[in-house]
Amino acid sequence: MQCLRRAKPIFFLTAALLAPLAAVAAGPTDDATTLGWTKELLSYVAEPFLLQGALLAVEIAALAMVGGALMGLGLALMRLSRFAPIRMTAWFYIWFVRGTPQLLQLVFLFDALPPMGLKLDSFTTAVVGFALNEAAFSAEIIRGGIISVNQNQSLAATAFGMGPFLTLRRIILPQAMRAILPGMANDVIGMIKGTSVASVIFVNELTFRSQQIVGQNFKFFTVFAAAGIIYLALTSAVAITQAVLERKFNWEIDRTAGRGSGFSGLFARRRPTASALSTKDAELPIPLSPTGDALPLTWIGTVVSTGDNRPATTAAPPFVVCRNVHKSYGAREVLRGIDLTVNRGEVVVIMGPSGSGKSTLLRLVNHLERLDAGEITVEGQYVGYKKVDGLMRPTHDLARARADARIGMVFQHFNLFEHLTALENVIEAPIRVHGDAPEKARALGMSLLSSVGLGHHANNLPHRLSGGQQQRVAIARALAIAPRLMLFDEPTSALDPELVGEVLAVMRRLAEAGMTMMVVTHEVRFAREVADRVIFIDEGLIVEQGPPGEVLGNPKQDRTQRFLRSVEREDAAA
């Protein structure tokens, strides 16, 4: 019987909305009758008693949505946790709440809690009940949005010393919002309409008030049609807000041209432009190119000296030291005892077949992966480790350790932050991680972009750039933190052959300026011309190493010879 009573308002509301259409389909009606019905309908739409109920429904929905979204974010992060008990706790809550009717949840809160000593009024019960219910649904919406973002975005942020929550706030959620917004908007609309469920605990919202009026005058169609119009106005406001927010978080929209005209231009985001930074640029010792062309080596020297790089000397201790490094993924042993030193200002090129452990070694240097055994030091310091009883233990604040190490990393697939412009990519870590003043960071960012020939692309989003341009932005981003060491993980393998040269040219200039570099690449010509030393790795072991002329020109090991022949065949085929 309770279900039948609750179904009546919905039935009459639907019928009232369809009645005008049915009347039109039936044939002509008396104009005076239609006019009178319309005036009466509009009078109920403007009826303060109903509007107060609508305001109460909005208040419940807004408060519950905020609370539910915040709890949903927490549940989503728990579902993504590495720890099974945390994941299972969140899963159980979501399973239970989604699997039980909301009506029962409200009745439980209103009737079952008072005997336990916790009594809530009707309004608070409705807010808490809807929030707890929404948390379960929004958790899955938010989790879906988070996992829709490429994991390499988190990897890049981590490499520059951004902590988990800073990465979530600045990198992941802004990109995830495109996937989150439609589902959350649907939930808001559903909650506004679903507040009618709260009438079961005597919340005097819009539908309940409509029933009260109908109980007095029996004008079912008119009153419930008015309530339907009010609901439609509220949900339309949500739909408009959704459209505005979707545009705001749509990073694929081209905003380099500034604001457009009309409705769409009103909500376009304005980004910092190169011209807006001109007054600050004059304070820098690094000259800017007005055409965006690449500048001489002086700019690289400025960055390198900031990072305290100096030419290697025989008396100086090694800059990077790897001792007996081991790393496994499950049963597969990727690195099996790597011993390697890199001197200050040295360019070491690491070569080897796919799966030999080259990229893993670079990630271990920057502590993007955890060591299984052995140790790695950079400038005599562990990066995010401390030795306890002879064993390497990760430190508590790993993000700060990465930031303090100032290791710049350039990835195979660029890993630019897709929702940020080229300039914003470059200045993100200096401002958010290292605390640089925004004006100083933007000016240096413009200098670096101009130096790699991309000054005129500063306000372009990554998807507007070619692969070679994106990789040069990635190099500028790595240089913006004044790195002491640069790691390049196959920086040209994802590029078309005609774009490889522009990236290698920048790397050559870095090498000439004395930057300490570890480069994983298959570019034999680059290794011959730039490397101080070539290391060949196969099956997790260093098979051969030495000057480029020896390793590439006259390799001693059969495995090295076969690899170089295969690379030469691939180059000839290309």
Side-chain angles (χ1 to χ4, degrees):
M1 293 299 294
Q2 178 68 21
C3 293
L4 291 176
R5 285 195 296 270
R6 283 177 38 75
K8 284 182 179 179
I10 299 175
F11 170 78
F12 286 122
L13 179 59
T14 304
L17 290 174
L18 294 177
L21 295 177
V24 172
T29 58
D30 182 74
D31 290 343
T33 303
T34 302
L35 181 60
W37 185 86
T38 303
K39 287 183 177 180
E40 186 178 38
L41 175 64
L42 293 178
S43 69
Y44 281 114
V45 171
E47 170 61 45
F49 185 68
L50 291 182
L51 293 178
Q52 289 172 5
L55 178 61
L56 187 64
V58 170
E59 289 175 349
I60 292 173
L63 292 173
M65 197 67 203
V66 171
L70 291 176
M71 289 187 288
L73 176 60
L75 287 169
L77 296 179
M78 290 173 66
R79 288 272 280 134
L80 296 171
S81 172
R82 293 177 299 172
F83 303 103
I86 295 177
R87 290 198 308 271
M88 292 306 298
T89 301
W91 179 90
F92 178 82
Y93 177 89
I94 294 169
W95 166 78
F96 180 81
V97 171
R98 291 196 306 180
T100 54
Q102 191 168 25
L103 176 65
L104 295 181
Q105 296 168 15
L106 289 173
V107 170
F108 174 82
L109 290 173
F110 191 72
D111 292 334
L113 290 184
M116 303 178 187
L118 183 61
K119 181 173 178 58
L120 304 175
D121 59 73
S122 297
F123 179 84
T124 305
T125 301
V127 171
V128 172
F130 280 108
L132 292 175
N133 185 271
E134 174 57 28
F137 289 90
S138 62
E140 293 300 274
I141 295 173
I142 294 172
R143 185 174 70 92
I146 290 175
I147 63 179
S148 72
V149 178
N150 193 316
Q151 292 184 353
N152 287 335
Q153 297 284 290
S154 296
L155 181 65
T158 301
F160 289 102
M162 299 179 73
F165 291 104
L166 180 60
T167 300
L168 180 70
R169 180 172 64 87
R170 293 289 304 172
I171 306 302
I172 303 302
L173 283 182
Q175 296 183 53
M177 288 302 292
R178 295 181 66 191
I180 292 173
L181 277 171
M184 294 297 282
N186 281 343
D187 275 8
V188 173
I189 290 173
M191 188 179 295
I192 290 175
K193 296 186 297 182
T195 51
S196 60
V197 177
S199 62
V200 73
I201 57 173
F202 312 110
V203 175
N204 203 11
E205 48 70 58
L206 177 57
T207 303
F208 189 63
R209 291 182 182 228
S210 300
Q211 289 179 269
Q212 291 175 312
I213 295 176
V214 168
Q216 297 174 357
N217 61 17
F218 298 101
K219 294 182 179 181
F220 297 99
F221 293 116
T222 308
V223 175
F224 281 112
I229 291 174
I230 295 173
Y231 275 123
L232 187 61
L234 296 177
T235 56
S236 296
V238 175
I240 293 173
T241 303
Q242 175 190 349
V244 173
L245 291 176
E246 285 183 353
R247 178 175 178 82
K248 176 180 175 62
F249 288 101
N250 186 0
W251 41 264
E252 289 187 348
I253 295 177
D254 187 3
R255 301 182 179 89
T256 58
R259 292 178 183 263
S261 58
F263 180 82
S264 61
L266 179 64
F267 299 101
R269 287 186 293 174
R270 191 178 288 276
R271 298 182 181 272
T273 60
S275 60
L277 303 173
S278 58
T279 57
K280 299 296 180 181
D281 294 342
E283 302 172 5
L284 280 175
I286 306 174
L288 289 176
S289 168
T291 61
D293 296 331
L295 297 181
L297 286 175
T298 53
W299 70 273
I300 295 180
T302 303
V303 175
V304 171
S305 63
T306 305
D308 195 29
N309 283 269
R310 293 178 295 275
T313 64
T314 55
F319 192 76
V320 180
V321 178
C322 303
R323 297 189 184 93
N324 194 31
V325 172
H326 287 259
K327 179 63 182 178
S328 299
Y329 296 107
R332 179 170 172 260
E333 196 173 13
V334 180
L335 296 177
R336 300 187 293 151
I338 295 292
D339 291 302
L340 172 66
T341 61
V342 179
N343 295 316
R344 186 186 297 274
E346 188 179 20
V347 178
V348 174
V349 169
I350 304 172
M351 307 184 80
S354 298
S356 60
K358 309 182 301 297
S359 297
T360 299
L361 178 59
L362 289 193
R363 294 187 183 193
L364 290 172
V365 171
N366 203 12
H367 201 155
L368 298 180
E369 300 278 359
R370 183 173 174 178
L371 281 167
D372 291 341
E375 62 180 38
I376 298 176
T377 60
V378 178
E379 206 170 14
Q381 302 294 321
Y382 299 120
V383 180
Y385 290 102
K386 58 182 178 181
K387 186 172 285 190
V388 179
D389 297 330
L391 299 175
M392 303 297 295
R393 303 294 187 190
T395 57
H396 175 67
D397 195 351
L398 182 53
R400 175 45 53 189
R402 292 194 190 100
D404 292 341
R406 291 198 181 257
I407 301 174
M409 190 161 187
V410 179
F411 298 88
Q412 176 181 358
H413 295 289
F414 326 135
N415 294 359
L416 295 180
F417 304 133
E418 297 178 353
H419 64 300
L420 301 180
T421 64
L423 178 59
E424 289 168 339
N425 264 276
V426 173
I427 67 177
E428 183 69 14
I431 293 176
R432 304 293 173 181
V433 177
H434 298 285
D436 292 354
E439 296 81 6
K440 177 183 177 183
R442 290 192 183 101
L444 178 59
M446 280 302 303
S447 297
L448 291 172
L449 288 174
S450 297
S451 300
V452 295
L454 295 174
H456 55 303
H457 290 295
N459 299 306
N460 283 358
L461 291 165
H463 74 278
R464 297 291 183 187
L465 304 175
S466 69
Q469 290 171 335
Q470 290 188 54
Q471 195 62 293
R472 282 185 282 158
V473 172
I475 294 174
R477 180 177 65 174
L479 290 172
I481 65 171
R484 300 183 178 95
L485 170 68
M486 285 286 288
L487 306 178
F488 291 87
D489 186 6
E490 301 194 40
T492 61
S493 63
L495 300 177
D496 293 333
E498 61 268 21
L499 301 177
V500 171
E502 60 190 42
V503 173
L504 295 182
V506 175
M507 295 173 64
R508 285 188 181 94
R509 295 204 299 273
L510 280 173
E512 292 170 5
M515 175 67 76
T516 308
M517 299 163 61
M518 296 177 67
V519 183
V520 171
T521 184
H522 290 171
E523 296 291 336
V524 176
R525 181 178 176 184
F526 173 83
R528 290 182 189 276
E529 297 176 356
V530 179
D532 296 302
R533 186 156 40 111
V534 173
I535 294 173
F536 182 77
I537 295 180
D538 187 28
E539 296 182 354
L541 294 171
I542 295 179
V543 175
E544 190 167 357
Q545 64 174 310
E550 293 182 8
V551 176
L552 301 178
N554 187 27
K556 298 180 176 61
Q557 302 296 324
D558 291 340
R559 186 64 189 90
T560 311
Q561 295 171 10
R562 292 198 304 271
F563 172 78
L564 292 175
R565 284 196 296 268
S566 67
V567 171
E568 290 173 358
R569 285 195 297 269
E570 291 176 2
D571 291 342

